[in-house]
Amino acid sequence: DTEVTQTPKHLVMGMTNKKSLKCEQHMGHRAMYWYKQKAKKPPELMFVYSYEKLSINESVPSRFSPECPNSSLLNLHLHALQPEDSALYLCASSQESAGEVGEQFFGPGTRLTVL
Amino acid sequence: GEDVEQSLFLSVREGDSSVINCTYTDSSSTYLYWYKQEPGAGLQLLTYIFSNMDMKQDQRLTVLLNKKDKHLSLRIADTQTGDSAIYFCAEQSGGYQKVTFGTGTKLQVIP
């Protein structure tokens, strides 16, 4: 199984809502990532988890809260978002081995619209 | 920070070769990658090159690396309509978990 799955595919939420994005992989990867991608732009790294611990937070606002309940799952909890947070949110995973090719496997993304 | 730069758009005829260029920023990058993104989908790794190589060939794909100029290119031979997508170069820098993506090149293949 070389797939990263993400749910939901699409999400529309108001600025006062609380919602969560979910990501799952069963490749035994120990590094998992959240990226944000605006239209016609490259993905921007938000968070990296390594062995279920947060290792990189790219100064992301606290209205985005990541969680890694186990080595296969990654969540992104959303609260009090702004319309400018509307984007495609991509999850990825990779082997956790320094010095090796860091191929990241991407999920199809969640298209988020904040009204 | 500095951007990893790519030209925005490339249009080629089916059967021709495509060359997508990238200028990266970190001379200490260990690996450089090419990813493909089709509409509404995530990114898919096409190929990569280690920084001590200057060329890598993988079937229809050829990657050239000029470390002195920090220039990377991807050549696709015999381009097909299924190659139409956005192509991102990416550099691995600031630690092996951190990958910075280029601005992306939209490849349009005309039948």
Side-chain angles (χ1 to χ4, degrees), chain B residues 40-57:
Chain B
L43 280 74
Q44 175 196 0
L45 181 70
L46 288 177
T47 187
Y48 65 90
I49 189 166
F50 190 50
S51 58
N52 69 354
M53 300 166 69
D54 48 27
M55 186 183 96
K56 181 179 179 182
Q57 187 145 5

Side-chain angles (χ1 to χ4, degrees), chain A residues 59-102:
Chain A
S59 303
V60 179
S62 60
R63 58 185 184 268
F64 295 91
S65 174
E67 179 198 18
C68 190
N70 61 56
S71 59
S72 301
L73 291 174
L74 185 66
N75 298 322
L76 186 63
H77 303 298
L78 314 172
H79 174 53
L81 293 196
Q82 303 296 310
E84 59 264 29
D85 296 322
S86 298
L88 182 68
Y89 287 84
L90 294 164
C91 173
S93 69
S94 70
Q95 295 281 6
E96 181 60 291
S97 300
E100 293 191 11
V101 178

Side-chain angles (χ1 to χ4, degrees), chain A residues 4-10 21-22 34-35 87-91 106-112, chain B residues 37 40-43:
Chain A
V4 176
T5 58
Q6 290 188 243
T7 55
K9 281 191 158 94
H10 301 276
L21 310 185
K22 296 188 184 302
W34 280 116
Y35 289 88
L88 182 68
Y89 287 84
L90 294 164
C91 173
F106 282 81
T110 294
R111 176 76 58 191
L112 174 68
Chain B
Q37 186 175 31
L43 280 74

Side-chain angles (χ1 to χ4, degrees), chain B residues 38-94:
Chain B
E38 297 187 40
L43 280 74
Q44 175 196 0
L45 181 70
L46 288 177
T47 187
Y48 65 90
I49 189 166
F50 190 50
S51 58
N52 69 354
M53 300 166 69
D54 48 27
M55 186 183 96
K56 181 179 179 182
Q57 187 145 5
D58 186 357
Q59 299 182 336
R60 291 191 297 125
L61 305 178
T62 303
V63 179
L64 295 178
L65 175 60
N66 180 330
K67 278 195 79 172
K68 176 172 160 291
D69 296 336
K70 291 189 243 173
H71 185 263
L72 183 72
S73 68
L74 174 70
R75 178 177 179 266
I76 306 172
D78 187 25
T79 313
Q80 303 297 305
T81 54
D83 295 324
S84 293
I86 299 176
Y87 290 79
F88 292 98
C89 63
E91 61 178 349
Q92 183 172 303
S93 59

